[in-house]
Amino acid sequence: MSLSFFWSREFLTNRYFLWLLFWCNAVGTVYGYIWYGDQLERTLAEQPLWQIVFVPDSPTASLFFTLALLWVLYKPKSVVLNRIGHVIQALAVVTSVKYGVWAVSIIFAGWMQGGSPHWQDWMLIASHSAMAIEALIYVRFFGFRWVALLIASLWTLLNDTMDYTYDIFPWLPGSLYEHLDGVRNFTFGLTLVSILCAWLALRQAKRT
């Protein structure tokens, strides 16, 4: 068996493998929301209720990807459900690439500013790298087009705006708070790069 088999449609869309991927992402999503527990509690206590949806960034990205897999497993006949699925798939790609790369970058930036590595950091590096990689691998099996990508782009930019306007961005390594302007600029820039990656992957998918 050649290595190319593991990149093939036959392997990647095998229902057993898709369900394995689904449950891995579902468990990771639940763990991610638990990880955000303290920040969610503080936001509920100190901020308006409507802001809570913008707090857990990476778990929500993982949730989008988990749901997106359902549209690969079960293709609905309803046009409305298809359109909803396309938006979820576009959100899955843009946010998984964005927050996957963001988390890894922030961890390394914290280390460069004198922070000490912990085992949880390596776990987060592995899981968030996987988020970005799987989104780019599966974009060719998703059915979204430009309108859905535009909606996903606007949502992600709105989320960035809410995070850094109301200080509900993910908690950072302590050494990075004095560089918050740089983190904010990096975050917005990474969103634009993630949108571009999704657009390029979408173009490539249409050619294959």
Side-chain angles (χ1 to χ4, degrees), residues 130-201:
M131 281 176 57
I133 292 169
E134 68 183 3
L136 291 175
I137 288 176
Y138 274 86
V139 66
R140 64 186 169 125
F141 306 122
F142 293 161
F144 71 88
R145 290 296 180 261
W146 311 111
V147 173
L149 180 56
L150 176 61
I151 293 171
S153 301
L154 292 175
W155 167 261
T156 310
L157 288 168
L158 173 64
N159 194 53
D160 291 346
T161 302
M162 294 298 103
D163 277 357
Y164 293 93
T165 299
Y166 298 104
D167 293 335
I168 52 175
F169 51 84
W171 287 346
L172 304 169
S175 58
L176 293 184
Y177 281 94
E178 61 188 63
H179 305 287
L180 189 56
D181 287 347
V183 172
R184 180 197 61 212
N185 295 338
F186 171 72
T187 300
F188 275 95
L190 184 56
T191 294
L192 297 177
V193 170
S194 300
I195 294 167
L196 177 62
C197 286
W199 176 68
L200 291 173

Side-chain angles (χ1 to χ4, degrees), residues 40-124:
L40 289 169
E41 289 181 6
R42 179 175 295 183
T43 302
L44 285 171
E46 300 176 0
Q47 306 282 106
L49 178 62
W50 63 267
Q51 293 181 10
I52 197 70
V53 70
F54 298 105
V55 173
D57 294 334
S58 293
T60 302
S62 179
L63 176 62
F64 286 142
F65 187 81
T66 304
L67 294 175
L69 291 175
L70 290 178
W71 265 262
V72 179
L73 283 160
Y74 301 102
K75 297 186 183 299
K77 296 180 180 179
S78 165
V79 173
V80 174
L81 285 177
N82 263 320
R83 295 292 182 267
I84 293 172
H86 291 168
V87 172
I88 290 173
Q89 290 172 344
L91 284 164
V93 174
V94 174
T95 60
S96 293
V97 172
K98 184 266 183 73
Y99 293 116
V101 175
W102 185 90
V104 173
S105 301
I106 291 299
I107 290 170
F108 280 114
W111 291 350
M112 292 175 65
Q113 293 297 319
S116 300
H118 299 284
W119 71 266
Q120 295 98 326
D121 294 337
W122 292 109
M123 179 268 293
L124 291 172

